[in-house]
Amino acid sequence: MSYVDETIEMLKEKYAAQPEFLQATTEVLDSLRPVIEQKEEEYKREALLERLVEPDRQIIFRVPWIDRNGQAHVNTGYRIQFNNAIGPYKGGLRLHPSVNISIIKFLGFEQIFKNSLTGLPIGGAKGGSDFDPKGKTDREIMSFCKNFMLELYKYIGADTDVPAGDIGTGAREIGYMFGAYKRIKNLHEGVLTGKGIAYGGSLARTEATGYGLLYLTEEMLKCNGIDIKGKTAAVSGSGNVAIYAIEKATQLGAKVLTCSDSNGWVYDPDGIDVAALKEIKEVNRQRLTEYKKYRPNSEYHEGRGVWTVKVDIALPCATQNELRIEDAKALVANGCIAVAEGANMPTTAEAVKYLQDNNILLAPAKAANAGGVATSALEMSQNSERLNWTFEEVDAKLRGIMINIFHNMSDAAEKYGMGKNYVAGANIAGFEKVLNAMMAQGVC
Ligand code: NDP
Ligand code: 2IT
């Protein structure tokens, strides 16, 4: 049995109860075969793959907090420090009731390769809690965030581990957490990214993931002889990534017909109105049912459905495994040409295969949504030099990074004879730098 297969078998046995982690590791390991086969004996002797799939550290802790009626509650907090071969641990914090060890481990594992692809010196980590921010008051959110940091502060630092936002964690939550860290440690350092502009945040970090997704998509289409201008797109989600993906897609001349939240979805034949969406989601924190009040021509539907709309480009920007085999079939049947993943692992393994078999250009998450963490690393640089760059400067760097990522993954796919398999290309290109660093640093 090959070293890759042995490692996959070991994972299946040891982590049978962690399906998302198995899905992410199996996909990556499977596509690393041509790299591993070159020096299989040497890598095996160093237990390279076993060390790659086992996090450096898994921190799980209790988070008590008090609600508006004085009632105390307890949630579970996580921080998985996966790999710091190429830089300090870096990755977001997810606050969502579905959070569990399998989800945080899959996200942390993906982050290793994504962060490497940015070309910047950042290792992989992820964290969060099964706390549900929905329907909570600001005071309740503050109580949770302060108590979360009361434990997390022990394990993080500007040169150790730098958390950031993810689902359910935006500027408000980062602010409360930063305040707690500063108070406990008496240190005003760049320990979190996605901070407010007034206290060390970077311009364009809010926009970065969505904008970066479109910069990479535009380049991928261009290199395949397609102009993004005039194309139609379907977006899922209506959070941070989705909003700025819609904004940039519209600026580039595409028309976005859909968006969604966990209750339902919107179809707007005139193109999603980003200003209305920002007011509903960022300012008022309401549900998408409100959208029709701004755009009477639009339709609101309960449940799932964005992938049934006929579009040229699909941009999943909500959550993992949201684009399933039946959705992939509907997209292909409707003549879709490209899928670019804004969310982490939004496409099921079966759907990935179907899309690739049908020659859809598929830009995988670890490349396509790397603009967020890349700009976080730019925020870290600005914090270190105690300077602030302009929006234009950060945005230009972001665009350069995304174009570079596209070419690196495309070149890697070509180098190993995998054509336009960007999924494999991104895994290999992200892995190579981590591999070199791990081998140079010896068994540790
Ligand atoms: P937000 O919390 O801002 O928005 C999440 C959106 O997705 C909301 O519209 C939410 O709907 C929807 N959603 C979340 N979970 C589910 C679910 N289980 N089923 C259906 N809909 C769901 O998060 P972000 O926009 O920041 O993150 C979206 C995705 O992008 C995630 O996969 C995240 O890991 C990834 N990502 C984020 C980055 C960032 O910088 N923020 C960077 C790179 C990737 P509702 O409000 O109803 O829950
Ligand atoms: O999934 C991701 O890359 C993020 N949530 C952003 C992480 C970061 O450190 O900015």
Side-chain angles (χ1 to χ4, degrees), residues 160-214:
T160 311
D161 181 359
V162 183
D166 193 77
I167 291 177
T169 307
R172 176 181 57 172
E173 292 72 21
I174 293 292
Y176 293 150
M177 289 183 197
F178 185 80
Y181 181 86
K182 193 190 52 143
R183 195 77 210 276
I184 300 166
K185 299 263 289 211
N186 193 22
L187 256 186
H188 198 296
E189 62 167 350
V191 66
L192 293 162
T193 58
K195 300 185 291 297
I197 303 303
Y199 61 95
S202 174
L203 289 165
R205 175 61 187 90
T206 304
E207 294 83 356
T209 312
Y211 278 22
L213 173 67
L214 268 296

Side-chain angles (χ1 to χ4, degrees), residues 79 89-94 107 110-111 114-115 122-123 125-126 162-167 169 192-194 205 209 240-241 342-344 365-366 369-377 379-380:
R79 186 69 180 168
Y89 302 110
K90 182 86 197 83
L93 296 170
R94 178 174 292 190
L107 289 163
E110 292 277 297
Q111 202 81 39
K114 182 196 304 192
N115 292 4
I122 38 178
K126 200 80 185 192
V162 183
D166 193 77
I167 291 177
T169 307
L192 293 162
T193 58
R205 175 61 187 90
T209 312
N240 174 263
V241 180
N344 284 307
K366 51 177 85 64
N369 72 31
V373 75
T375 307
S376 277
E379 181 172 328
M380 290 164 70

Side-chain angles (χ1 to χ4, degrees), residues 228-414:
I228 192 168
K229 201 164 177 226
K231 297 290 178 293
T232 53
V235 167
S236 64
S238 51
N240 174 263
V241 180
I243 289 173
Y244 293 94
I246 296 170
E247 183 166 281
K248 185 52 74 179
T250 309
Q251 286 172 11
L252 294 176
K255 191 201 265 188
V256 179
L257 298 176
T258 70
C259 63
S260 64
D261 62 21
S262 53
N263 297 111
W265 60 286
V266 162
Y267 172 74
D268 188 338
D270 303 319
I272 298 291
D273 179 342
V274 186
L277 196 59
K278 283 184 185 174
E279 191 167 307
I280 295 166
K281 289 293 176 184
E282 293 184 337
V283 182
N284 301 330
R285 297 183 189 273
Q286 293 168 318
R287 308 307 299 163
L288 272 183
T289 39
E290 296 296 309
Y291 186 84
K292 213 174 159 49
K293 292 182 188 157
Y294 296 79
R295 304 276 275 194
N297 266 346
S298 68
E299 298 167 14
Y300 177 80
H301 302 273
E302 287 289 332
R304 309 171 73 246
V306 295
W307 314 125
T308 61
V309 174
K310 180 177 165 47
V311 288
D312 302 309
I313 304 163
L315 302 169
C317 296
T319 194
Q320 64 275 355
N321 292 327
E322 54 160 314
L323 202 162
R324 307 171 190 163
I325 184 67
E326 63 272 20
D327 305 318
K329 286 183 177 165
L331 288 170
V332 170
N334 281 328
C336 175
I337 49 179
V339 176
E341 299 180 333
N344 284 307
M345 204 170 74
T347 314
T348 63
E350 205 185 352
V352 167
K353 183 166 186 322
Y354 187 85
L355 293 171
Q356 290 181 324
D357 287 349
N358 285 278
N359 298 318
I360 304 293
L361 299 170
L362 175 56
K366 51 177 85 64
N369 72 31
V373 75
T375 307
S376 277
L378 300 179
E379 181 172 328
M380 290 164 70
S381 299
Q382 293 170 75
N383 292 164
S384 295
E385 63 176 17
R386 299 186 191 281
L387 291 173
N388 298 308
W389 306 339
T390 63
F391 186 96
E392 289 70 26
E393 207 173 342
V394 179
D395 189 39
K397 284 191 165 72
L398 167 65
R399 186 159 181 273
I401 290 168
M402 299 314 295
I403 290 174
N404 215 15
I405 292 176
F406 171 73
H407 289 282
N408 284 343
M409 76 175 180
S410 171
D411 292 351
E414 207 155 295

